[in-house]
Amino acid sequence: MRMNSLHRREFLTLTGLAGAGMAGSGLAALALGSTKARAASLPSAPAEGDAHRGPCAIASGNCDPGVAKAYEMVMSGFDPADAVVAAVKFNEDDPNDQSVGLGGLPNEEGIVELDASVMHGPTHKAGSVASIRNIKNPAAVALEVLRKTDHVMIVGEGALKFALRMGFKEENLLTEKSRQAWVQWRANLNKDDKWLDDDQQIQPVGGKKVSAIEKSLMFTWGTVHCSALTPAGDMAACTSTSGLSWKIPGRIGDSPIVGAGMYCDNNVGCAGATGRGESMIVNCGSYAIVQNMERGMTPSEACAAFLNKLCDHTKEKHLRDAKGRPNFNVSVYALRKDGAYGGACIHPGGSYAVADGTAANAKNLRIVACTPLFND
Ligand code: GLY
């Protein structure tokens, strides 16, 4: 059943929601989502983005100025896969973005390992690289996997060799700022080791002190995602990350996993995520959000219903707070075939960037708060 040959009203009739007056409400999400009610947390009215129509690029809130570039490219006739890869490249190239590409926070051994994937709606092909070292643009490598091979995913040493063969340049991705953050994390890891903790270290007179930000860096799951829709109705999605900081070497998050960190069905829509990747993997997150849209939910409802289910599936004690809720955050983003879009997060703080040619500012993008499941 194809979204482009079936109107939303027909979807709702088929799913039995329209007649019950549940269209566009949080109840639709509740009905098709988790079995445990969390009605107060779900949106009670369609979010602004659900009413949007037409070509558009949406991204995680950090994809600035990339999302505007993606929109400009799809409006100029570029393939949507090129547009979303170009969008995340801004973050990958930025040494001050410590969650993606050059300058990303390293693994527990101080080595930067990157993950990325891209999916192309018109061909329903995907490309992905995981745990790749020394190449700052893993999303562009993933696009080469998509375009030049019959594989979907290449990891580790093989991914590096593939990238070099494709002409990418090897470089050290560990910036001084990220190296210092890693040394600081390592020093404070074990009270009993021979590394002095923050409060024990001798600061040289006039020496450079470690900033509070660097001290506060414990674990981060920073990531960048972008999805785009062309005027012809074609779509693509891309996610890129340095993954969980201080991870066990070889750990792969959701970003390179098709259906977890991003997914694209050209007949329905795209989804992507930032935040705790393990939770997106075990819930097939981005695929689930696109499935929710195919079943008739708006993008906002699809995101909220998915996160509701993720919360119910979060069983481990070390992942729950005193109220039994996830003690981590995940933000998810959805873009439907017709241009409707939305985003949601578990706890407040997530945001997404939208470019559709209507932003009244020089950057040509808007930053929108993701709707949180819990208001904390
Ligand atoms: N979402 C990024 C990661 O967990 O690796």
Side-chain angles (χ1 to χ4, degrees):
M1 192 173 295
R2 288 166 181 236
M3 193 68 165
N4 58 2
S5 61
L6 194 65
H7 294 301
R8 174 171 153 71
R9 173 59 52 187
E10 292 169 294
F11 262 101
L12 295 171
T13 304
L14 285 172
T15 55
L17 291 175
M22 296 164 87
S25 77
L27 289 175
L30 190 61
L32 291 175
S34 163
T35 50
K36 277 194 191 167
R38 200 172 279 113
S41 308
L42 294 171
S44 57
E48 183 191 310
D50 289 338
H52 182 269
R53 296 293 179 270
C56 175
I58 81 155
S60 47
N62 58 344
C63 194
D64 167 6
V67 71
K69 176 75 179 174
Y71 178 72
E72 183 193 308
M73 286 179 70
V74 295
M75 296 309 286
S76 310
F78 280 88
D79 188 288
D82 286 309
V84 291
V85 168
V88 305
K89 186 175 187 296
F90 285 93
N91 299 72
E92 292 174 336
D93 287 347
D94 180 358
N96 292 314
D97 186 331
Q98 292 182 285
S99 66
V100 183
L102 176 67
L105 291 170
N107 67 20
E108 66 178 14
E109 293 176 355
I111 299 167
V112 181
E113 292 179 327
L114 305 179
D115 299 336
S117 62
V118 56
M119 190 154 185
H120 183 234
T123 55
H124 204 71
K125 278 201 83 182
S128 158
V129 291
S131 213
I132 187 171
R133 299 179 177 187
N134 299 345
I135 302 289
K136 72 176 176 183
N137 298 123
V141 183
L143 187 54
E144 294 285 38
V145 175
L146 185 159
R147 287 189 171 147
K148 307 255 171 69
T149 81
D150 191 36
H151 300 325
V152 169
M153 191 169 199
I154 305 181
V155 308
E157 188 64 26
L160 174 58
K161 282 185 186 165
F162 173 80
L164 295 175
R165 189 185 287 188
M166 291 296 116
F168 289 82
K169 296 276 173 293
E170 218 173 337
E171 62 189 290
N172 178 18
L173 303 180
L174 187 67
T175 56
E176 180 57 17
K177 191 173 160 193
S178 289
R179 186 192 66 77
Q180 282 186 17
W182 170 68
V183 167
Q184 200 69 23
W185 165 78
R186 184 68 193 79
N188 287 281
L189 197 57
N190 182 352
K191 285 270 170 213
D192 299 324
D193 67 17
K194 297 300 170 202
W195 291 91
L196 297 179
D197 293 347
D198 282 343
D199 51 355
Q200 301 167 321
Q201 287 180 18
I202 315 296
Q203 299 290 347
V205 176
K208 182 181 175 297
K209 291 196 171 147
V210 175
S211 73
I213 289 176
E214 283 159 2
K215 277 185 189 174
S216 71
L217 280 171
M218 286 307 292
F219 290 93
T220 64
W221 290 281
T223 300
V224 60
H225 165 78
C226 184
S227 290
L229 169 68
T230 72
D234 286 326
M235 309 189 81
C238 179
T239 301
S240 181
T241 189
S242 52
L244 176 67
S245 57
W246 334 132
K247 60 195 171 187
I248 295 171
R251 176 267 188 188
I252 291 170
D254 59 321
S255 304
I257 310 282
V258 177
M262 62 95 230
Y263 187 69
C264 175
D265 181 334
N266 214 43
N267 296 320
V268 181
C270 296
T274 58
R276 188 185 139 79
E278 281 73 7
S279 297
M280 289 302 291
I281 295 172
V282 295
N283 289 290
C284 301
S286 292
Y287 179 75
I289 292 166
V290 173
Q291 286 292 103
N292 283 347
M293 289 194 286
E294 186 163 22
R295 292 158 72 193
M297 293 186 198
T298 68
S300 302
E301 290 167 349
C303 290
F306 164 70
L307 289 180
N308 203 38
K309 188 176 267 191
L310 182 154
C311 291
D312 284 345
H313 284 167
T314 303
K315 314 269 186 209
E316 293 166 275
K317 203 172 166 193
H318 76 277
L319 294 176
R320 300 184 78 110
D321 66 15
K323 295 181 183 169
R325 311 171 310 179
N327 60 14
F328 55 85
N329 212 354
V330 168
S331 296
V332 290
Y333 320 96
L335 176 60
R336 203 170 58 189
K337 173 84 175 165
D338 60 3
Y341 61 80
C345 50
I346 301 173
H347 300 287
S351 65
Y352 59 96
V354 183
D356 61 359
T358 65
N361 56 44
K363 288 184 162 185
N364 288 324
L365 62 87
R366 288 193 305 282
I367 303 291
V368 182
C370 289
T371 307
L373 271 194
F374 304 109
N375 282 316
D376 286 30

